Structure formats: structure tokens, C-alpha cells
Amino acid sequence: MNDKQEPPPRENRRITDVGTLKAFGHPLRLKIYGTLRVSGPSTASQVAAQVDEAVSLVSYHLRKLAEHGLIEEAEAQSGDARERWWRAAQDNLSFRHEDFKDTPEGAAVHTSVIRTLIARRHEQYETYLDQQAAWGEQWRLAADQSDFLARLNSAELTRLNAEIHALIKTYEEQGKAAEAAGDTEGRENVALHLASFPFRL
């Protein structure tokens, strides 16, 4: 293992062009990107094992993600010079309907990627449900699935989302700091999926 510190990823990137959004929105690339985001620097072989695909196919999709700056080469984590290591190029990605609404293609791609992400999140939660007995009582009690209904205007919803994001970010940073200090006991990856949207009956 290399003791050199990895440079910190960029804080956030907002995707505003259709080509990059298309590249990101491929179902397998979403899995590959998610694996790198959770696992940190990895080789194509390691990612392939995580997503259960052939190394050659994963290598192809890694290169496509890199072409759009979504992932980047990472410092080698082993002494094997033949291995190429990859990492997510930012902590968070975002993309907004407003950036794609002016063309039919852009709007369609944005909607398609959101639907793919929702399906991926649903699959992730279904996996937890299938395995929840194995997690033990403490994790089952800590896990949550909630539904809230509020009467808000758009400015209030914007503010609510910002406050929720800021709170989650606080816990993310606390967890990273604690782990860096050696407090790793009982820590697991935790997914928080938030959707907030207006609707009418």
C-alpha cells in the first residue's frame, strides 16, 4: 500500500452539457462511478469484480468516463506498474433540468438519466431489504424509510433542501474525520436518497 496521501477530489461538479450527461447516464457507468465513489481508488479488475462484468468491458467504460472528466487516474496503490488506478474526479455531481430544457434532446437525456438513477437507488434499497436480517438489530433500528407531506411554496422548498443538504454534509464530514482519527468500529456505507417535488391530486 502506498502511504502517499491522495489529493482531495473537487468538491462538486455540475454537468451542463448533453454529451457528458449521456456518458454518465449509461447504467453500467453509473454502477462503475458509484463503485469508485464508495471504494476509492481502484483498478479495472477491482471494479469489474464489484459490478460483475468483464474487465475489458469495464476498462472501456472507465475510459469513456475519463474522457468527460468524471473520473481520473489515481496514484498507484500497489507496486505493480502495469496497473492503472482510477478515482472519482469530484465528491459530488449534480445536473439540473434548467440546463437541458431548451432542446428536446437535452430534456429527454436529463429525464432518462434521472429515471436510471431512481432505478439504481430502488435496486440498492431492495438489496438492503433482502439482506436486512443479516445486518442485526442495531442497524435495522437505525435504518429509515419515511414519507413526509408539507404545504410549501417554491422558495420554502429550496430552503428546506439546502438545510437538509447542509445537515447531511455535516454528518459526512464528521464520519470522515472520525475514521481518519482511527474510529472505524461499526462504520458502514450509508445511502441517503432524497426526493422532493410538487404534486397535485
Side-chain angles (χ1 to χ4, degrees), residues 106-126:
V109 169
H110 179 268
T111 299
S112 175
V113 173
I114 293 294
R115 290 185 189 280
T116 303
L117 278 171
I118 290 171
R120 175 76 182 125
R121 291 167 185 166
H122 181 79
E123 177 187 343
Q124 193 175 29
Y125 189 62
E126 290 277 6

Side-chain angles (χ1 to χ4, degrees), residues 9 19 26 45-46 50 62 71 80 93 135 171 179-180 182 185-186:
H26 185 283
S45 296
Q46 290 170 337
Q50 290 291 321
L62 285 167
I71 66 171
D80 189 344
L93 283 173
W135 278 101
Y171 275 87
E179 199 157 40
E185 184 68 28

